[in-house]
Amino acid sequence: MFVDELTIKVIAGKGGDGCTSFRREKCEPMGGPNGGNGGKGASIIFKVDKGLKTLVDLRYMKIIKGNKGQNGSGQNRNGANAEDIIIKVPEGTTVIDADTNLVIADLVGENTEVIVAHGGRGGRGNVAFKTQTDTAPKFSELGEPGEIRILKVELKMIADVGLIGFPSVGKSTILSVISAATPKIASYHFTTLAPNLGVVKLKDERSFIMADLPGLIEGAHEGIGLGHKFLRHAMRTKILAHVIDMGSEEGRNPVEDYKTIRSEIEKYNEKLANKKEIIIANKMDLENAEANLIEFKKAFSDKEIIPISSVTNIGFDELMCKLADTLDIIDNDPLYDEAEYESHVMYKFKNERPFTITKLDDVWLLEGKELEKLFKMTRFNEDDAVIRFARKLKGMGVDEELERLGAKRGDEVQICDYIFEFKE
């Protein structure tokens, strides 16, 4: 089964909890803190495996969850880190954050990998909070929650040349003639339901990968027919080899066919429209082919056109050499612009507060990634930890902002699902 697009949820492992512990021995009644740190939670990693050609294995993984790090313990024993979870994906896989629509990674190259969800760090044990003024801290941290993300995973197959065109114009036949590929071939529309790849080898030892892509129809850029599948995979190709039925076997006009397909490509993506293009005038053995080719050349005199026939086997040597020569001089263009990558987006600005405050009825709602992380890592059953939490909030400017917005002492303040009283 060919699967090239899906959405999954990944939940990285929570960090292990830190330990609150004190050294208590017969001769050391005041031995001091010795609680160890928790271990790191498991991260979720996507790694390229060139042996895979589809995302079908991921289709059955609706949720991928990492294990929690081991808790710290007394005698300064740190918890063990949880083992990262490695998910193998085909080369050409793009990972996108479904919430921001930014690209996390475009995975190309054997063993290329990316962390799609980071495991939480382990909570610090009480020995980590020991200072000159507080030599016996009576609190520790809980482990940091792991990242939770909804991911769109797309496969854009790796190919040097993409065969494009209407259904039944002979794309699969061309691929079968010039490579060892064995695509399904029939006389009805949409025989090709998924991209087929073939390796083309020339007599001079050069080689390249060609893809027979699902047939296009009008409206493909909007997902009509199989256009959405074709257009995604065409993005990685260096050359668009546009196959035209020059014999008008199904009564279509070659000139109008070309204009329709070009229009769909231009509406879909500017980068795709600007790729190098070679026109393959196929089915030249048919009766009307020569006359149609003359008219076609008049309409598109600036285009490179190579006539071929799969029946008489003419034109294939010229076609293969032309494609190989063109590939030799084409540079690799990046699939995505830097601005589309998550790593190039600035999430925080210099004077931006790390939280927001909203009043809902009589409750002040506090939200913010850093604030919520601090909340989830605080042990509220330890008085010193609660005092530290309040001090941290004040340092962030929460108290000051609440007062500025009109909050009074005694008002209710909500963080996550918990409600507190606003006090001095």
Short mmCIF file of all heavy atoms in Angstrom, two decimals, residues 167-170 186-187 244-254 257 282-283 285-289 292 311:
data_model
loop_
_atom_site.label_atom_id
_atom_site.label_comp_id
_atom_site.label_asym_id
_atom_site.label_seq_id
_atom_site.Cartn_x
_atom_site.Cartn_y
_atom_site.Cartn_z
N PRO A 167 -3.83 11.68 -18.13
CA PRO A 167 -3.88 10.21 -18.08
C PRO A 167 -3.82 9.61 -19.48
O PRO A 167 -4.30 10.20 -20.46
CB PRO A 167 -5.24 9.93 -17.42
CG PRO A 167 -5.59 11.18 -16.69
CD PRO A 167 -5.01 12.30 -17.49
N SER A 168 -3.22 8.44 -19.58
CA SER A 168 -3.18 7.64 -20.81
C SER A 168 -2.42 8.29 -21.96
O SER A 168 -2.70 7.99 -23.13
CB SER A 168 -4.61 7.31 -21.27
OG SER A 168 -5.31 6.61 -20.28
N VAL A 169 -1.46 9.17 -21.64
CA VAL A 169 -0.65 9.74 -22.72
C VAL A 169 0.62 8.91 -22.95
O VAL A 169 1.40 9.21 -23.86
CB VAL A 169 -0.26 11.21 -22.44
CG1 VAL A 169 -1.49 12.09 -22.46
CG2 VAL A 169 0.51 11.34 -21.13
N GLY A 170 0.84 7.88 -22.12
CA GLY A 170 1.97 6.99 -22.33
C GLY A 170 3.13 7.15 -21.36
O GLY A 170 4.23 6.67 -21.63
N ALA A 186 -2.39 0.16 -18.79
CA ALA A 186 -3.68 -0.22 -19.37
C ALA A 186 -4.22 0.96 -20.16
O ALA A 186 -3.66 2.06 -20.13
CB ALA A 186 -4.67 -0.64 -18.27
N SER A 187 -5.32 0.74 -20.88
CA SER A 187 -5.86 1.77 -21.77
C SER A 187 -6.87 2.67 -21.10
O SER A 187 -7.45 3.52 -21.75
CB SER A 187 -6.51 1.09 -22.99
OG SER A 187 -7.55 0.24 -22.55
N ILE A 244 3.09 14.59 -24.14
CA ILE A 244 1.92 15.00 -24.91
C ILE A 244 1.54 13.89 -25.89
O ILE A 244 2.41 13.35 -26.59
CB ILE A 244 2.20 16.30 -25.71
CG1 ILE A 244 2.58 17.45 -24.77
CG2 ILE A 244 0.99 16.68 -26.56
CD1 ILE A 244 1.47 17.95 -23.90
N ASP A 245 0.26 13.53 -25.93
CA ASP A 245 -0.24 12.57 -26.92
C ASP A 245 -0.38 13.30 -28.25
O ASP A 245 -1.42 13.89 -28.55
CB ASP A 245 -1.59 12.02 -26.45
CG ASP A 245 -2.23 11.08 -27.47
OD1 ASP A 245 -1.58 10.79 -28.49
OD2 ASP A 245 -3.37 10.66 -27.24
N MET A 246 0.70 13.25 -29.05
CA MET A 246 0.71 14.03 -30.29
C MET A 246 -0.18 13.39 -31.36
O MET A 246 -0.56 14.04 -32.34
CB MET A 246 2.14 14.16 -30.81
CG MET A 246 2.37 15.37 -31.70
SD MET A 246 1.94 16.97 -30.92
CE MET A 246 3.17 17.12 -29.64
N GLY A 247 -0.57 12.13 -31.16
CA GLY A 247 -1.45 11.47 -32.13
C GLY A 247 -2.92 11.72 -31.88
O GLY A 247 -3.77 11.23 -32.64
N SER A 248 -3.24 12.45 -30.82
CA SER A 248 -4.65 12.74 -30.47
C SER A 248 -5.49 11.47 -30.44
O SER A 248 -6.60 11.42 -30.96
CB SER A 248 -5.26 13.74 -31.48
OG SER A 248 -4.53 14.94 -31.50
N GLU A 249 -4.95 10.46 -29.79
CA GLU A 249 -5.61 9.14 -29.79
C GLU A 249 -6.99 9.19 -29.17
O GLU A 249 -7.90 8.47 -29.59
CB GLU A 249 -4.73 8.13 -29.05
CG GLU A 249 -5.19 6.69 -29.20
CD GLU A 249 -4.20 5.72 -28.59
OE1 GLU A 249 -3.48 6.08 -27.65
OE2 GLU A 249 -4.17 4.57 -29.07
N GLU A 250 -7.18 10.07 -28.19
CA GLU A 250 -8.48 10.16 -27.53
C GLU A 250 -9.26 11.40 -27.97
O GLU A 250 -10.21 11.82 -27.30
CB GLU A 250 -8.30 10.16 -26.01
CG GLU A 250 -7.68 8.87 -25.50
CD GLU A 250 -7.72 8.77 -23.98
OE1 GLU A 250 -8.19 9.73 -23.34
OE2 GLU A 250 -7.30 7.75 -23.44
N GLY A 251 -8.84 11.99 -29.08
CA GLY A 251 -9.58 13.13 -29.63
C GLY A 251 -9.25 14.46 -29.00
O GLY A 251 -9.92 15.46 -29.28
N ARG A 252 -8.22 14.51 -28.13
CA ARG A 252 -7.86 15.78 -27.49
C ARG A 252 -6.91 16.58 -28.38
O ARG A 252 -6.23 16.03 -29.24
CB ARG A 252 -7.21 15.52 -26.12
CG ARG A 252 -8.17 14.92 -25.09
CD ARG A 252 -7.64 15.14 -23.68
NE ARG A 252 -6.32 14.54 -23.51
CZ ARG A 252 -6.10 13.38 -22.92
NH1 ARG A 252 -7.13 12.68 -22.45
NH2 ARG A 252 -4.89 12.90 -22.81
N ASN A 253 -6.85 17.87 -28.11
CA ASN A 253 -5.97 18.77 -28.86
C ASN A 253 -4.65 18.91 -28.10
O ASN A 253 -4.64 19.38 -26.95
CB ASN A 253 -6.65 20.13 -29.01
CG ASN A 253 -5.84 21.10 -29.86
OD1 ASN A 253 -4.66 21.30 -29.61
ND2 ASN A 253 -6.49 21.68 -30.86
N PRO A 254 -3.50 18.53 -28.69
CA PRO A 254 -2.22 18.59 -27.99
C PRO A 254 -1.89 19.99 -27.45
O PRO A 254 -1.35 20.13 -26.34
CB PRO A 254 -1.20 18.16 -29.04
CG PRO A 254 -1.99 17.30 -29.98
CD PRO A 254 -3.35 17.92 -30.02
N ASP A 257 -4.06 20.61 -24.45
CA ASP A 257 -3.60 19.75 -23.36
C ASP A 257 -2.42 20.39 -22.63
O ASP A 257 -2.37 20.44 -21.39
CB ASP A 257 -3.17 18.38 -23.90
CG ASP A 257 -4.35 17.45 -24.11
OD1 ASP A 257 -5.50 17.90 -23.90
OD2 ASP A 257 -4.13 16.28 -24.47
N ASN A 282 4.80 12.27 -27.76
CA ASN A 282 4.65 10.81 -27.79
C ASN A 282 3.65 10.36 -28.85
O ASN A 282 2.86 11.16 -29.37
CB ASN A 282 4.20 10.33 -26.41
CG ASN A 282 4.38 8.84 -26.24
OD1 ASN A 282 5.18 8.21 -26.95
ND2 ASN A 282 3.64 8.25 -25.32
N LYS A 283 3.69 9.07 -29.16
CA LYS A 283 2.78 8.40 -30.11
C LYS A 283 2.91 8.98 -31.52
O LYS A 283 1.91 9.19 -32.23
CB LYS A 283 1.33 8.50 -29.61
CG LYS A 283 1.14 7.94 -28.19
CD LYS A 283 -0.31 7.89 -27.77
CE LYS A 283 -0.45 7.37 -26.35
NZ LYS A 283 -1.85 7.26 -25.90
N ASP A 285 3.87 7.50 -34.03
CA ASP A 285 3.54 6.48 -35.02
C ASP A 285 2.09 6.61 -35.51
O ASP A 285 1.71 5.99 -36.52
CB ASP A 285 3.74 5.08 -34.43
CG ASP A 285 2.99 4.89 -33.13
OD1 ASP A 285 3.43 5.46 -32.11
OD2 ASP A 285 1.93 4.23 -33.11
N LEU A 286 1.26 7.40 -34.84
CA LEU A 286 -0.14 7.53 -35.22
C LEU A 286 -0.31 8.47 -36.41
O LEU A 286 0.55 9.32 -36.70
CB LEU A 286 -0.96 8.04 -34.03
CG LEU A 286 -1.01 7.10 -32.81
CD1 LEU A 286 -1.87 7.70 -31.70
CD2 LEU A 286 -1.53 5.71 -33.19
N GLU A 287 -1.45 8.36 -37.06
CA GLU A 287 -1.70 9.01 -38.34
C GLU A 287 -1.60 10.54 -38.28
O GLU A 287 -1.02 11.17 -39.16
CB GLU A 287 -3.08 8.59 -38.87
CG GLU A 287 -3.42 9.16 -40.23
CD GLU A 287 -4.78 8.69 -40.72
OE1 GLU A 287 -5.41 7.86 -40.04
OE2 GLU A 287 -5.20 9.19 -41.78
N ASN A 288 -2.18 11.15 -37.26
CA ASN A 288 -2.24 12.61 -37.19
C ASN A 288 -1.05 13.24 -36.47
O ASN A 288 -1.00 14.46 -36.30
CB ASN A 288 -3.52 13.05 -36.48
CG ASN A 288 -4.77 12.58 -37.20
OD1 ASN A 288 -4.80 12.60 -38.44
ND2 ASN A 288 -5.78 12.16 -36.45
N ALA A 289 -0.11 12.43 -36.05
CA ALA A 289 0.96 12.92 -35.18
C ALA A 289 1.83 13.98 -35.85
O ALA A 289 2.14 15.02 -35.25
CB ALA A 289 1.80 11.76 -34.69
N ASN A 292 0.01 17.31 -36.21
CA ASN A 292 -0.17 17.92 -34.89
C ASN A 292 1.14 18.48 -34.34
O ASN A 292 1.16 19.52 -33.68
CB ASN A 292 -0.74 16.89 -33.90
CG ASN A 292 -2.20 16.59 -34.15
OD1 ASN A 292 -2.92 17.40 -34.77
ND2 ASN A 292 -2.66 15.43 -33.70
N VAL A 311 5.99 2.46 -29.89
CA VAL A 311 5.70 1.34 -30.80
C VAL A 311 6.88 1.08 -31.73
O VAL A 311 7.34 -0.05 -31.90
CB VAL A 311 4.42 1.62 -31.62
CG1 VAL A 311 4.20 0.52 -32.67
CG2 VAL A 311 3.22 1.73 -30.70
#
